[in-house]
Amino acid sequence: MVERLSDSQVEQGLARLADWQMVEGRSAICRQYRFENFNQAFGFMTRSALIAEKTNHHPEWFNVYNRVDVTLSTHDVGGLSELDFKLAEAMDKIAS
Ligand code: H2B
């Protein structure tokens, strides 16, 4: 069973993710990715989707052309869990 992280655990998690921040008014983290074109953005989304399915943990995201805005939160616990930080790290690796 996945557990909701404490505020200090969230702080520690965010300290390791340079480009992510808290969503205002919500227990969720977000990052905006920018790519060269739609092909690269969609490739990133496709690879991320495969990981999301494998781990059964899914992003909230919004894509326009080369831009992908991602929000991560664990709906089952009503906040952030280690699954969000693992997925954020995996998405950063895919994008890099
Ligand atoms: N994704 C995210 N981000 N949070 C969840 O709590 C979650 C999920 N729960 N993907 C999973 C699916 C759950 O709803 C299903 C039933 O396993």
Coordinates of all heavy atoms in Angstrom, one line a residue:
M1 N 0.8 -1.2 0.0 CA 0.0 0.0 0.0 C 0.9 1.2 0.0 O 1.8 1.4 0.8 CB -0.9 0.0 1.2 CG -1.8 1.2 1.4 SD -3.0 1.4 0.0 CE -3.6 3.0 0.4
V2 N 0.6 2.1 -0.9 CA 1.4 3.3 -1.1 C 1.0 4.4 0.0 O -0.2 4.4 0.3 CB 1.3 3.9 -2.5 CG1 -0.1 4.3 -2.8 CG2 2.3 5.0 -2.7
E3 N 1.9 5.1 0.6 CA 1.6 6.0 1.7 C 1.8 7.5 1.2 O 2.7 7.8 0.5 CB 2.5 5.7 2.9 CG 2.0 4.5 3.6 CD 2.9 4.1 4.8 OE1 3.8 5.0 5.1 OE2 2.8 3.0 5.2
R4 N 1.0 8.3 1.8 CA 1.2 9.8 1.6 C 2.4 10.3 2.3 O 2.6 9.9 3.5 CB -0.1 10.5 2.1 CG -0.1 12.0 1.8 CD -1.3 12.7 2.3 NE -1.1 14.1 2.2 CZ -2.0 15.0 1.8 NH1 -3.2 14.6 1.6 NH2 -1.7 16.3 1.7
L5 N 3.2 11.0 1.6 CA 4.5 11.5 2.2 C 4.2 12.7 3.1 O 3.3 13.5 2.9 CB 5.5 12.0 1.1 CG 5.9 10.9 0.1 CD1 6.9 11.5 -0.9 CD2 6.6 9.7 0.8
S6 N 5.0 12.9 4.1 CA 4.9 14.0 5.0 C 5.5 15.2 4.3 O 6.2 15.1 3.3 CB 5.8 13.8 6.3 OG 7.1 13.7 6.0
D7 N 5.3 16.4 4.9 CA 5.8 17.7 4.3 C 7.3 17.6 4.2 O 7.9 18.1 3.2 CB 5.4 18.9 5.1 CG 3.9 19.2 5.0 OD1 3.3 18.6 4.1 OD2 3.4 20.0 5.8
S8 N 8.0 17.1 5.2 CA 9.5 17.1 5.1 C 10.0 16.1 4.1 O 11.0 16.3 3.4 CB 10.1 16.8 6.5 OG 9.9 15.5 6.9
Q9 N 9.2 15.0 3.9 CA 9.6 14.0 2.9 C 9.4 14.6 1.5 O 10.2 14.4 0.6 CB 8.8 12.7 3.0 CG 9.2 11.8 4.2 CD 8.2 10.7 4.4 OE1 7.0 10.9 4.3 NE2 8.8 9.5 4.6
V10 N 8.4 15.4 1.3 CA 8.1 16.1 0.1 C 9.2 17.1 -0.2 O 9.7 17.1 -1.3 CB 6.7 16.8 0.1 CG1 6.6 17.7 -1.1 CG2 5.6 15.8 0.1
E11 N 9.6 17.8 0.8 CA 10.7 18.8 0.6 C 12.0 18.1 0.2 O 12.7 18.5 -0.7 CB 11.0 19.5 2.0 CG 10.4 20.9 2.0 CD 10.6 21.5 3.4 OE1 11.8 21.5 3.9 OE2 9.7 22.0 4.0
Q12 N 12.3 16.9 0.8 CA 13.5 16.2 0.4 C 13.4 15.7 -1.0 O 14.3 15.7 -1.8 CB 13.7 15.0 1.3 CG 14.2 15.3 2.7 CD 14.1 14.1 3.7 OE1 14.2 12.9 3.2 NE2 13.9 14.3 4.9
G13 N 12.2 15.2 -1.4 CA 12.0 14.7 -2.8 C 12.2 15.9 -3.8 O 12.9 15.7 -4.8
L14 N 11.6 17.0 -3.5 CA 11.7 18.2 -4.4 C 13.2 18.7 -4.5 O 13.6 19.2 -5.6 CB 10.8 19.3 -3.9 CG 9.4 19.3 -4.4 CD1 8.6 20.4 -3.8 CD2 9.3 19.3 -6.0
A15 N 13.9 18.6 -3.4 CA 15.3 19.0 -3.4 C 16.2 18.3 -4.5 O 17.1 18.8 -5.0 CB 15.9 18.9 -2.0
R16 N 15.7 17.1 -4.8 CA 16.5 16.2 -5.8 C 16.0 16.5 -7.2 O 16.5 15.9 -8.1 CB 16.3 14.8 -5.4 CG 17.0 14.4 -4.1 CD 17.3 12.9 -4.0 NE 16.0 12.1 -4.3 CZ 15.2 11.7 -3.3 NH1 15.5 12.0 -2.1 NH2 14.1 11.1 -3.6
L17 N 14.9 17.2 -7.3 CA 14.3 17.4 -8.7 C 14.4 18.9 -9.0 O 13.5 19.7 -8.7 CB 12.9 16.9 -8.7 CG 12.6 15.4 -8.5 CD1 11.1 15.2 -8.4 CD2 13.2 14.6 -9.7
A18 N 15.4 19.3 -9.7 CA 15.7 20.8 -9.9 C 14.5 21.5 -10.6 O 14.3 22.6 -10.2 CB 17.0 20.9 -10.7
D19 N 13.9 20.9 -11.5 CA 12.9 21.6 -12.4 C 11.5 21.4 -12.0 O 10.6 21.9 -12.7 CB 13.1 21.2 -13.8 CG 14.5 21.5 -14.3 OD1 14.9 22.7 -14.1 OD2 15.2 20.6 -14.8
W20 N 11.2 20.8 -10.8 CA 9.9 20.5 -10.4 C 9.5 21.5 -9.2 O 10.4 21.8 -8.4 CB 9.7 19.1 -9.9 CG 9.8 18.1 -11.1 CD1 10.9 17.7 -11.7 CD2 8.7 17.5 -11.7 NE1 10.6 16.8 -12.7 CE2 9.2 16.7 -12.8 CE3 7.3 17.5 -11.6 CZ2 8.4 15.9 -13.6 CZ3 6.5 16.7 -12.4 CH2 7.0 15.9 -13.4
Q21 N 8.2 21.8 -9.1 CA 7.8 22.6 -8.0 C 6.4 22.2 -7.5 O 5.7 21.4 -8.2 CB 7.8 24.1 -8.4 CG 6.9 24.4 -9.6 CD 7.1 25.8 -10.1 OE1 8.2 26.2 -10.4 NE2 6.0 26.5 -10.2
M22 N 6.0 22.7 -6.4 CA 4.7 22.4 -5.8 C 3.6 23.1 -6.7 O 3.9 24.3 -7.1 CB 4.6 22.8 -4.4 CG 5.3 22.0 -3.4 SD 4.9 20.3 -3.3 CE 3.2 20.3 -2.7
V23 N 2.5 22.5 -6.9 CA 1.4 23.2 -7.4 C 0.7 24.0 -6.3 O 0.5 23.5 -5.2 CB 0.3 22.2 -8.0 CG1 -0.9 22.9 -8.5 CG2 0.9 21.3 -9.1
E24 N 0.4 25.3 -6.6 CA -0.2 26.1 -5.6 C -1.5 25.6 -5.2 O -2.4 25.3 -6.0 CB -0.3 27.6 -6.1 CG 0.4 28.5 -5.2 CD 0.3 30.0 -5.7 OE1 -0.7 30.6 -5.4 OE2 1.3 30.4 -6.4
G25 N -1.8 25.5 -3.9 CA -3.1 25.1 -3.4 C -3.4 23.7 -3.5 O -4.6 23.3 -3.4
R26 N -2.4 22.9 -3.8 CA -2.7 21.4 -4.0 C -1.5 20.6 -3.7 O -0.3 21.1 -3.9 CB -2.9 21.3 -5.6 CG -3.8 20.1 -5.9 CD -4.0 19.8 -7.3 NE -4.0 18.4 -7.5 CZ -4.0 17.8 -8.6 NH1 -3.9 18.5 -9.8 NH2 -4.0 16.5 -8.7
S27 N -1.7 19.4 -3.2 CA -0.6 18.5 -2.8 C -0.2 17.8 -4.1 O -0.6 16.6 -4.3 CB -1.0 17.6 -1.7 OG 0.1 16.8 -1.4
A28 N 0.6 18.5 -5.0 CA 1.0 17.9 -6.3 C 2.2 18.6 -6.7 O 2.5 19.7 -6.3 CB -0.2 18.1 -7.3
I29 N 3.0 18.0 -7.6 CA 4.2 18.6 -8.1 C 4.0 18.8 -9.7 O 3.3 18.0 -10.3 CB 5.5 17.8 -7.8 CG1 5.4 16.4 -8.3 CG2 5.8 17.9 -6.3 CD1 6.7 15.6 -8.2
C30 N 4.7 19.8 -10.2 CA 4.5 20.0 -11.6 C 5.8 20.5 -12.3 O 6.8 21.0 -11.6 CB 3.5 21.1 -11.9 SG 3.9 22.7 -11.2
R31 N 5.9 20.2 -13.6 CA 7.0 20.7 -14.4 C 6.5 21.0 -15.8 O 5.7 20.2 -16.3 CB 8.1 19.6 -14.4 CG 9.3 20.1 -15.3 CD 10.5 19.2 -15.4 NE 11.3 19.8 -16.5 CZ 12.5 19.3 -16.9 NH1 13.0 18.2 -16.3 NH2 13.2 19.9 -17.8
Q32 N 7.1 22.0 -16.4 CA 6.8 22.2 -17.9 C 8.0 21.7 -18.7 O 9.2 22.2 -18.4 CB 6.6 23.7 -18.1 CG 5.5 24.3 -17.3 CD 5.1 25.7 -17.8 OE1 5.9 26.4 -18.3 NE2 3.8 26.0 -17.6
Y33 N 7.8 20.9 -19.6 CA 8.9 20.4 -20.5 C 8.7 21.2 -21.9 O 7.5 21.4 -22.3 CB 8.8 18.9 -20.8 CG 9.1 18.1 -19.6 CD1 8.1 17.6 -18.8 CD2 10.4 17.7 -19.4 CE1 8.4 16.8 -17.7 CE2 10.7 16.8 -18.3 CZ 9.7 16.4 -17.5 OH 10.0 15.6 -16.4
R34 N 9.8 21.5 -22.5 CA 9.8 22.1 -23.8 C 10.7 21.3 -24.7 O 11.8 21.0 -24.4 CB 10.3 23.5 -23.8 CG 9.5 24.5 -23.1 CD 8.2 24.9 -23.9 NE 7.4 25.9 -23.1 CZ 6.6 25.5 -22.1 NH1 6.5 24.3 -21.7 NH2 5.9 26.4 -21.5
F35 N 10.2 21.0 -25.9 CA 11.0 20.2 -26.8 C 11.2 21.0 -28.1 O 10.6 22.1 -28.3 CB 10.3 18.8 -27.1 CG 10.2 18.0 -25.8 CD1 9.0 18.1 -25.0 CD2 11.2 17.2 -25.4 CE1 8.9 17.4 -23.9 CE2 11.1 16.4 -24.3 CZ 9.9 16.5 -23.5
E36 N 11.9 20.4 -29.1 CA 12.1 21.1 -30.3 C 10.9 21.2 -31.2 O 10.7 22.1 -32.0 CB 13.3 20.5 -31.1 CG 14.6 20.9 -30.6 CD 15.8 20.2 -31.3 OE1 15.6 19.8 -32.4 OE2 16.8 20.1 -30.6
N37 N 10.1 20.1 -31.1 CA 8.9 20.0 -32.0 C 7.9 19.0 -31.4 O 8.2 18.4 -30.4 CB 9.4 19.6 -33.4 CG 10.3 18.4 -33.3 OD1 9.9 17.4 -32.6 ND2 11.4 18.4 -34.1
F38 N 6.8 18.9 -32.1 CA 5.8 18.0 -31.6 C 6.2 16.5 -31.6 O 5.9 15.8 -30.7 CB 4.5 18.1 -32.5 CG 3.4 17.2 -32.2 CD1 2.7 17.4 -31.0 CD2 3.1 16.1 -32.9 CE1 1.7 16.5 -30.6 CE2 2.1 15.2 -32.6 CZ 1.4 15.4 -31.4
N39 N 7.0 16.1 -32.6 CA 7.5 14.8 -32.7 C 8.2 14.4 -31.4 O 8.0 13.3 -30.8 CB 8.4 14.6 -33.9 CG 8.5 13.2 -34.3 OD1 7.6 12.4 -34.3 ND2 9.7 12.8 -34.8
Q40 N 9.1 15.3 -31.0 CA 9.9 15.0 -29.7 C 9.0 15.0 -28.5 O 9.2 14.2 -27.6 CB 11.0 16.0 -29.6 CG 12.1 15.7 -30.6 CD 13.4 16.4 -30.2 OE1 13.6 16.9 -29.1 NE2 14.4 16.3 -31.1
A41 N 8.1 15.9 -28.5 CA 7.2 16.0 -27.3 C 6.3 14.7 -27.2 O 6.2 14.1 -26.2 CB 6.3 17.2 -27.4
F42 N 5.8 14.3 -28.4 CA 4.9 13.1 -28.4 C 5.7 11.8 -28.1 O 5.2 10.9 -27.4 CB 4.2 13.0 -29.7 CG 2.9 12.2 -29.5 CD1 1.8 12.7 -28.9 CD2 2.9 10.9 -30.0 CE1 0.7 11.9 -28.7 CE2 1.7 10.1 -29.8 CZ 0.6 10.6 -29.2
G43 N 7.0 11.8 -28.6 CA 7.9 10.7 -28.3 C 8.1 10.6 -26.7 O 8.0 9.5 -26.2
F44 N 8.3 11.7 -26.1 CA 8.5 11.8 -24.7 C 7.2 11.3 -24.0 O 7.3 10.5 -23.0 CB 8.8 13.2 -24.3 CG 8.5 13.5 -22.8 CD1 9.4 13.1 -21.8 CD2 7.4 14.2 -22.4 CE1 9.2 13.4 -20.5 CE2 7.1 14.5 -21.1 CZ 8.1 14.1 -20.1
M45 N 6.1 11.7 -24.5 CA 4.8 11.3 -23.9 C 4.6 9.8 -24.0 O 4.1 9.1 -23.1 CB 3.6 12.1 -24.5 CG 3.7 13.5 -24.1 SD 2.4 14.5 -24.9 CE 1.0 14.1 -23.8
T46 N 4.9 9.3 -25.2 CA 4.8 7.8 -25.5 C 5.6 7.0 -24.5 O 5.2 6.0 -23.9 CB 5.1 7.5 -26.9 OG1 4.3 8.3 -27.8 CG2 4.9 6.1 -27.2
R47 N 6.9 7.4 -24.4 CA 7.8 6.6 -23.5 C 7.3 6.8 -22.0 O 7.4 5.8 -21.3 CB 9.2 7.1 -23.7 CG 9.8 6.8 -25.1 CD 11.2 7.3 -25.3 NE 12.1 6.5 -24.4 CZ 13.3 6.9 -24.1 NH1 13.8 8.1 -24.5 NH2 14.1 6.2 -23.4
S48 N 6.9 7.9 -21.7 CA 6.4 8.1 -20.3 C 5.1 7.3 -20.1 O 4.9 6.8 -19.0 CB 6.1 9.6 -20.1 OG 7.2 10.4 -20.2
A49 N 4.3 7.2 -21.1 CA 3.0 6.5 -20.9 C 3.3 5.0 -20.7 O 2.6 4.3 -19.9 CB 2.2 6.7 -22.2
L50 N 4.3 4.5 -21.3 CA 4.7 3.1 -21.1 C 5.1 2.8 -19.7 O 4.7 1.8 -19.1 CB 5.8 2.6 -22.1 CG 5.4 2.6 -23.6 CD1 6.5 2.3 -24.5 CD2 4.2 1.6 -23.8
I51 N 5.9 3.7 -19.1 CA 6.3 3.6 -17.7 C 5.1 3.8 -16.8 O 4.9 3.0 -15.8 CB 7.4 4.6 -17.4 CG1 8.7 4.2 -18.1 CG2 7.6 4.7 -15.9 CD1 9.8 5.2 -17.9
A52 N 4.2 4.7 -17.1 CA 3.0 4.9 -16.3 C 2.1 3.7 -16.3 O 1.7 3.3 -15.2 CB 2.2 6.1 -16.9
E53 N 2.0 3.0 -17.4 CA 1.2 1.8 -17.4 C 1.8 0.7 -16.6 O 1.2 -0.1 -15.9 CB 1.0 1.4 -18.9 CG -0.3 1.9 -19.5 CD -1.5 1.5 -18.8 OE1 -2.0 0.4 -19.0 OE2 -2.0 2.3 -18.0
K54 N 3.2 0.6 -16.8 CA 3.9 -0.5 -16.2 C 3.8 -0.3 -14.6 O 3.7 -1.3 -13.9 CB 5.4 -0.4 -16.6 CG 6.1 -1.7 -16.5 CD 7.4 -1.6 -17.3 CE 8.5 -2.3 -16.6 NZ 9.8 -2.1 -17.4
T55 N 3.9 0.9 -14.2 CA 3.9 1.1 -12.7 C 2.5 1.4 -12.2 O 2.4 1.7 -11.0 CB 4.8 2.3 -12.4 OG1 4.4 3.5 -13.1 CG2 6.3 2.0 -12.8
N56 N 1.5 1.5 -13.1 CA 0.1 1.8 -12.7 C 0.1 3.2 -12.0 O -0.6 3.3 -10.9 CB -0.5 0.7 -11.9 CG -2.0 0.9 -11.8 OD1 -2.6 1.4 -12.7 ND2 -2.6 0.5 -10.6
H57 N 0.9 4.1 -12.5 CA 0.8 5.5 -11.9 C 0.9 6.5 -13.0 O 1.9 6.5 -13.8 CB 2.0 5.6 -10.9 CG 1.9 6.8 -10.1 ND1 0.9 6.9 -9.1 CD2 2.6 8.0 -10.0 CE1 1.0 8.1 -8.5 NE2 2.0 8.8 -9.0
H58 N -0.1 7.3 -13.1 CA -0.4 8.0 -14.4 C -0.3 9.6 -14.2 O -0.8 10.1 -13.2 CB -1.7 7.6 -14.9 CG -1.9 6.2 -15.2 ND1 -2.2 5.3 -14.2 CD2 -1.6 5.5 -16.3 CE1 -2.2 4.0 -14.8 NE2 -1.8 4.1 -16.0
P59 N 0.3 10.2 -15.1 CA 0.5 11.7 -15.0 C -0.8 12.4 -15.4 O -1.6 11.9 -16.2 CB 1.6 12.0 -16.0 CG 1.5 10.9 -17.0 CD 1.0 9.7 -16.3
E60 N -1.0 13.6 -14.9 CA -2.0 14.6 -15.5 C -1.1 15.4 -16.4 O 0.0 15.9 -16.0 CB -2.6 15.4 -14.4 CG -3.3 14.7 -13.3 CD -3.6 15.5 -12.1 OE1 -3.8 16.8 -12.3 OE2 -3.7 15.0 -11.0
W61 N -1.5 15.6 -17.6 CA -0.6 16.4 -18.5 C -1.4 17.1 -19.6 O -2.5 16.7 -19.9 CB 0.6 15.5 -19.1 CG 0.2 14.2 -19.8 CD1 -1.0 13.8 -20.1 CD2 1.1 13.2 -20.1 NE1 -0.9 12.5 -20.7 CE2 0.4 12.2 -20.7 CE3 2.5 13.0 -20.0 CZ2 1.0 11.0 -21.1 CZ3 3.1 11.8 -20.4 CH2 2.3 10.8 -21.0
F62 N -0.7 18.1 -20.2 CA -1.3 18.9 -21.2 C -0.3 19.2 -22.2 O 0.8 19.6 -21.9 CB -1.8 20.2 -20.5 CG -2.4 21.2 -21.5 CD1 -3.7 21.1 -21.9 CD2 -1.7 22.3 -21.9 CE1 -4.3 22.0 -22.8 CE2 -2.2 23.2 -22.8 CZ -3.5 23.1 -23.2
N63 N -0.6 18.9 -23.5 CA 0.3 19.1 -24.6 C -0.2 20.0 -25.6 O -1.3 20.0 -26.1 CB 0.6 17.7 -25.2 CG 1.3 17.8 -26.6 OD1 0.7 17.3 -27.6 ND2 2.4 18.4 -26.7
V64 N 0.7 21.0 -26.0 CA 0.4 21.8 -27.2 C 1.7 21.8 -28.0 O 2.8 22.3 -27.4 CB 0.0 23.2 -26.8 CG1 -0.2 24.0 -28.1 CG2 -1.2 23.3 -26.0
Y65 N 1.7 21.3 -29.2 CA 2.9 21.3 -30.0 C 4.2 20.8 -29.3 O 4.3 19.6 -29.1 CB 3.2 22.7 -30.7 CG 4.3 22.7 -31.7 CD1 4.4 21.7 -32.7 CD2 5.4 23.6 -31.5 CE1 5.4 21.7 -33.6 CE2 6.4 23.5 -32.4 CZ 6.5 22.6 -33.4 OH 7.5 22.6 -34.3
N66 N 5.1 21.6 -28.9 CA 6.4 21.2 -28.4 C 6.4 21.3 -26.8 O 7.4 21.1 -26.2 CB 7.5 22.0 -28.9 CG 7.5 23.5 -28.5 OD1 6.4 23.9 -28.2 ND2 8.6 24.1 -28.4
R67 N 5.2 21.6 -26.3 CA 5.2 21.8 -24.8 C 4.4 20.7 -24.1 O 3.3 20.3 -24.6 CB 4.5 23.2 -24.6 CG 4.3 23.6 -23.2 CD 3.6 25.0 -23.2 NE 2.5 24.9 -22.3 CZ 1.4 25.7 -22.3 NH1 1.3 26.6 -23.3 NH2 0.5 25.6 -21.5
V68 N 4.9 20.2 -23.0 CA 4.2 19.2 -22.2 C 4.2 19.7 -20.8 O 5.3 19.8 -20.2 CB 4.8 17.8 -22.3 CG1 3.9 16.8 -21.6 CG2 4.9 17.4 -23.8
D69 N 3.1 20.1 -20.2 CA 2.9 20.4 -18.8 C 2.5 19.2 -18.0 O 1.4 18.6 -18.4 CB 1.9 21.6 -18.6 CG 2.3 22.8 -19.4 OD1 3.4 23.0 -19.8 OD2 1.4 23.7 -19.6
V70 N 3.3 18.9 -17.0 CA 3.0 17.6 -16.3 C 2.7 18.0 -14.8 O 3.4 18.8 -14.2 CB 4.2 16.7 -16.3 CG1 3.9 15.4 -15.5 CG2 4.5 16.3 -17.8
T71 N 1.6 17.4 -14.3 CA 1.3 17.4 -12.9 C 1.3 16.0 -12.3 O 0.7 15.1 -13.0 CB 0.0 18.1 -12.6 OG1 0.0 19.5 -13.1 CG2 -0.4 18.1 -11.1
L72 N 1.9 15.8 -11.2 CA 1.9 14.5 -10.6 C 1.3 14.5 -9.2 O 1.7 15.4 -8.4 CB 3.3 13.9 -10.5 CG 4.0 13.7 -11.9 CD1 5.4 13.1 -11.7 CD2 3.2 12.8 -12.8
S73 N 0.5 13.6 -8.9 CA -0.1 13.5 -7.5 C -0.6 12.0 -7.4 O -0.9 11.4 -8.5 CB -1.2 14.5 -7.4 OG -1.8 14.4 -6.1
T74 N -0.8 11.6 -6.2 CA -1.3 10.2 -6.1 C -2.7 10.3 -5.6 O -3.0 10.6 -4.4 CB -0.4 9.4 -5.1 OG1 0.9 9.4 -5.5 CG2 -0.9 8.0 -4.9
H75 N -3.7 10.1 -6.5 CA -5.1 10.3 -6.2 C -5.5 9.3 -5.1 O -6.4 9.7 -4.3 CB -5.9 10.1 -7.5 CG -5.3 10.9 -8.6 ND1 -4.9 10.3 -9.8 CD2 -5.0 12.2 -8.7 CE1 -4.4 11.3 -10.6 NE2 -4.4 12.4 -10.0
D76 N -5.0 8.1 -5.1 CA -5.4 7.1 -4.1 C -5.1 7.6 -2.7 O -5.8 7.1 -1.7 CB -4.7 5.8 -4.4 CG -5.2 5.2 -5.7 OD1 -6.2 5.6 -6.2 OD2 -4.4 4.2 -6.2
V77 N -4.1 8.4 -2.4 CA -3.8 8.9 -1.1 C -4.2 10.4 -0.9 O -3.9 10.9 0.2 CB -2.4 8.6 -0.7 CG1 -2.0 7.1 -0.8 CG2 -1.4 9.4 -1.5
G78 N -4.7 11.0 -1.9 CA -5.0 12.4 -1.8 C -3.8 13.3 -1.6 O -3.9 14.3 -0.9
G79 N -2.7 13.0 -2.1 CA -1.5 13.8 -2.0 C -0.3 13.2 -2.7 O -0.5 12.4 -3.7
L80 N 0.9 13.5 -2.2 CA 2.1 13.0 -2.9 C 2.6 11.7 -2.2 O 2.5 11.5 -1.0 CB 3.2 14.0 -2.8 CG 2.9 15.2 -3.8 CD1 3.7 16.4 -3.3 CD2 3.2 14.8 -5.2
S81 N 3.0 10.8 -3.1 CA 3.7 9.5 -2.6 C 5.0 9.4 -3.3 O 5.3 10.1 -4.2 CB 2.8 8.3 -2.9 OG 2.8 8.0 -4.2
E82 N 5.7 8.4 -2.9 CA 7.0 8.1 -3.6 C 6.8 7.8 -5.0 O 7.7 8.0 -5.8 CB 7.8 7.0 -2.9 CG 7.2 5.7 -3.0 CD 8.1 4.5 -2.4 OE1 9.2 4.7 -2.2 OE2 7.5 3.4 -2.3
L83 N 5.7 7.3 -5.4 CA 5.4 7.0 -6.8 C 5.5 8.3 -7.7 O 6.0 8.2 -8.8 CB 4.0 6.4 -7.0 CG 3.8 5.0 -6.3 CD1 2.3 4.6 -6.6 CD2 4.8 4.0 -6.9
D84 N 5.1 9.4 -7.2 CA 5.2 10.7 -7.9 C 6.7 11.1 -8.2 O 7.0 11.5 -9.2 CB 4.5 11.8 -7.2 CG 3.0 11.4 -7.0 OD1 2.3 11.2 -8.1 OD2 2.5 11.4 -5.9
F85 N 7.5 10.9 -7.1 CA 8.9 11.3 -7.3 C 9.6 10.3 -8.2 O 10.5 10.7 -9.0 CB 9.5 11.4 -5.9 CG 9.0 12.6 -5.2 CD1 7.9 12.5 -4.3 CD2 9.6 13.9 -5.4 CE1 7.4 13.7 -3.7 CE2 9.1 15.0 -4.8 CZ 8.0 14.9 -4.0
K86 N 9.2 9.0 -8.1 CA 9.9 8.0 -9.1 C 9.5 8.3 -10.5 O 10.3 8.3 -11.4 CB 9.4 6.6 -8.7 CG 10.2 6.1 -7.5 CD 9.8 4.6 -7.2 CE 10.7 4.1 -6.1 NZ 10.1 2.9 -5.4
L87 N 8.2 8.7 -10.7 CA 7.8 9.0 -12.1 C 8.4 10.3 -12.6 O 8.8 10.4 -13.7 CB 6.2 9.0 -12.1 CG 5.6 9.3 -13.5 CD1 6.1 8.2 -14.5 CD2 4.1 9.3 -13.5
A88 N 8.5 11.3 -11.7 CA 9.2 12.5 -12.1 C 10.6 12.3 -12.5 O 11.1 12.8 -13.6 CB 9.1 13.5 -10.9
E89 N 11.3 11.5 -11.8 CA 12.7 11.2 -12.1 C 12.8 10.4 -13.4 O 13.6 10.7 -14.3 CB 13.3 10.3 -11.0 CG 14.7 10.4 -10.8 CD 15.2 9.5 -9.6 OE1 14.5 9.4 -8.6 OE2 16.2 8.8 -9.8
A90 N 11.9 9.5 -13.6 CA 11.9 8.7 -14.9 C 11.6 9.6 -16.1 O 12.2 9.5 -17.1 CB 10.9 7.6 -14.8
M91 N 10.7 10.6 -15.9 CA 10.3 11.5 -17.0 C 11.5 12.4 -17.3 O 11.8 12.7 -18.5 CB 9.0 12.3 -16.7 CG 7.8 11.4 -16.6 SD 6.3 12.2 -16.1 CE 5.6 12.6 -17.7
D92 N 12.2 12.9 -16.3 CA 13.3 13.7 -16.5 C 14.4 13.0 -17.3 O 15.1 13.5 -18.2 CB 13.9 14.2 -15.1 CG 13.1 15.3 -14.5 OD1 12.2 15.9 -15.2 OD2 13.4 15.7 -13.4
K93 N 14.6 11.7 -17.0 CA 15.6 10.9 -17.7 C 15.2 10.8 -19.2 O 16.0 10.9 -20.1 CB 15.7 9.5 -17.1 CG 16.7 9.5 -16.0 CD 17.1 8.0 -15.6 CE 17.9 8.1 -14.3 NZ 17.4 7.1 -13.3
I94 N 13.9 10.5 -19.4 CA 13.4 10.4 -20.8 C 13.7 11.7 -21.5 O 14.0 11.6 -22.7 CB 11.9 10.0 -20.8 CG1 11.8 8.6 -20.3 CG2 11.3 10.1 -22.2 CD1 10.3 8.2 -20.0
A95 N 13.4 12.8 -20.9 CA 13.5 14.1 -21.6 C 14.9 14.5 -21.8 O 15.2 15.4 -22.6 CB 12.7 15.1 -20.8
S96 N 15.9 14.0 -21.1 CA 17.2 14.5 -21.1 C 18.0 13.8 -22.3 O 17.7 12.8 -22.8 CB 18.0 14.2 -19.8 OG 18.1 12.9 -19.6
Ligands
H2B1 N1 -2.2 7.4 -11.0 C1 -2.0 8.4 -10.1 N2 -1.3 9.4 -10.5 N3 -2.5 8.3 -8.9 C2 -3.2 7.2 -8.5 O1 -3.7 7.2 -7.3 C3 -3.5 6.2 -9.4 C4 -2.9 6.3 -10.7 N4 -4.1 5.1 -9.0 N5 -3.2 5.3 -11.6 C5 -4.3 4.0 -9.9 C6 -4.1 4.3 -11.4 C7 -5.6 3.3 -9.5 O2 -6.7 4.3 -9.8 C8 -6.0 2.1 -10.3 C9 -7.3 1.6 -9.9 O3 -5.0 1.1 -9.9

